[in-house]
Amino acid sequence: GAVVSQHPSRVICKSGTSVKIECRSLDFQATTMFWYRQFPKQSLMLMATSNEGSKATYEQGVEKDKFLINHASLTLSTLTVTSAHPEDSSFYICSAPGGGVDEQFFGPGTRLTVL
Amino acid sequence: KQEVTQIPAALSVPEGENLVLNCSFTDSAIYNLQWFRQDPGKGLTSLLLIQSSQREQTSGRLNASLDKSSGRSTLYIAASQPGDSATYLCAVSVGSAGNMLTFGGGTRLMVKP
């Protein structure tokens, strides 16, 4: 199946700093990518839809100025958590619809810990 | 608003048992339904995808069924093994391909040797 990578896999940062997470589709192009957040022992919650060449679409309750999304190319979307705080500590996962099929393929996730 | 529920939330069985995981959704107008496996601290692995026009899909020891009209899907795992221990998530997609998924809360499965 299609492969989606994320970098970094784990990041620990101090409160107030910004953290950038990359999501790449390795063997297919994705005009749309999705960013999810997963708190411990909870399911995935959609944060935003990343659209190549246009603005991201954010779900209700997600601050667009705090979670900046840039979909600069057909294989790369980035999520920047600005001025991170401890409550932003979570597991962030991206996904993309695999080229030509209806499945969603997920990255391995990024564990963010804000001290 | 689509809501997805998975029952049970947790399940512990001895090795070798056949088991069924349940998923229900409130809006039957889905495009497809996917079952995923998630190991602790890891991303998601797609197990089975069922299109809205299909009733079931099989892969090895896994069989997923879909009853769209009643808003239900089941994941059947035959002859369970300790390596099957993980969280199993179902998710539905509404609209055209590429739309975002709505996830259930997951079922945490433990298969004891």
Side-chain angles (χ1 to χ4, degrees):
Chain A
V3 178
V4 175
S5 70
Q6 276 184 248
H7 178 79
S9 59
R10 184 182 298 267
V11 57
I12 300 173
C13 67
K14 293 182 179 180
S15 184
T17 59
S18 294
V19 176
K20 180 186 284 188
I21 303 170
E22 293 185 348
C23 177
R24 293 181 186 272
S25 56
L26 296 186
D27 49 2
F28 66 102
Q29 294 182 334
T31 56
T32 302
M33 291 183 176
F34 302 98
W35 287 96
Y36 295 84
R37 180 166 54 183
Q38 185 179 35
F39 291 107
K41 296 188 177 181
Q42 294 186 26
S43 192
L44 280 72
M45 295 298 293
L46 180 69
M47 297 176 64
T49 302
S50 174
N51 304 298
E52 189 270 335
S54 64
K55 291 182 179 180
T57 305
Y58 291 82
E59 294 301 298
Q60 190 173 13
V62 178
E63 300 175 57
K64 61 180 180 180
D65 294 331
K66 181 169 184 63
F67 298 99
L68 301 179
I69 291 173
N70 182 30
H71 198 141
S73 75
L74 289 171
T75 59
L76 173 64
S77 174
T78 60
L79 168 67
T80 301
V81 184
T82 62
S83 186
H85 292 283
E87 59 265 30
D88 298 323
S89 299
S90 187
F91 194 54
Y92 292 86
I93 308 177
C94 69
S95 76
V101 298
D102 297 331
E103 286 184 70
Q104 289 278 346
F105 294 92
F106 284 78
T110 297
R111 172 74 60 192
L112 171 63
T113 302
V114 184
L115 302 176
Chain B
K1 179 185 176 185
Q2 178 74 267
E3 292 184 2
V4 182
T5 304
Q6 289 186 246
I7 295 174
L11 182 63
S12 181
V13 299
E15 181 177 6
E17 273 203 9
N18 302 323
L19 53 99
V20 175
L21 308 182
N22 297 291
C23 173
S24 61
F25 45 95
T26 56
D27 186 348
S28 62
I30 64 169
Y31 189 75
N32 60 49
L33 182 146
Q34 266 184 272
W35 282 93
F36 295 90
R37 168 186 174 136
Q38 184 178 31
D39 293 289
K42 304 293 185 182
L44 275 65
T45 300
S46 179
L47 297 174
L48 290 164
L49 168 72
I50 311 177
Q51 300 287 1
S52 62
S53 59
Q54 298 174 325
R55 295 194 64 86
E56 67 175 342
Q57 284 286 332
T58 298
S59 176
R61 294 182 293 109
L62 304 179
N63 175 276
S65 67
L66 173 64
D67 185 343
K68 196 175 74 165
S69 61
S70 67
R72 296 178 188 276
S73 176
T74 60
L75 179 66
Y76 176 82
I77 303 177
S80 59
Q81 303 171 358
D84 295 331
S85 299
T87 295
Y88 291 81
L89 297 162
C90 77
V92 297
S93 173
V94 179
S96 60
N99 272 9
M100 65 280 193
L101 300 175
T102 301
F103 282 84
T107 294
R108 292 187 302 279
L109 173 65
M110 171 77 73
V111 180
K112 297 174 289 187

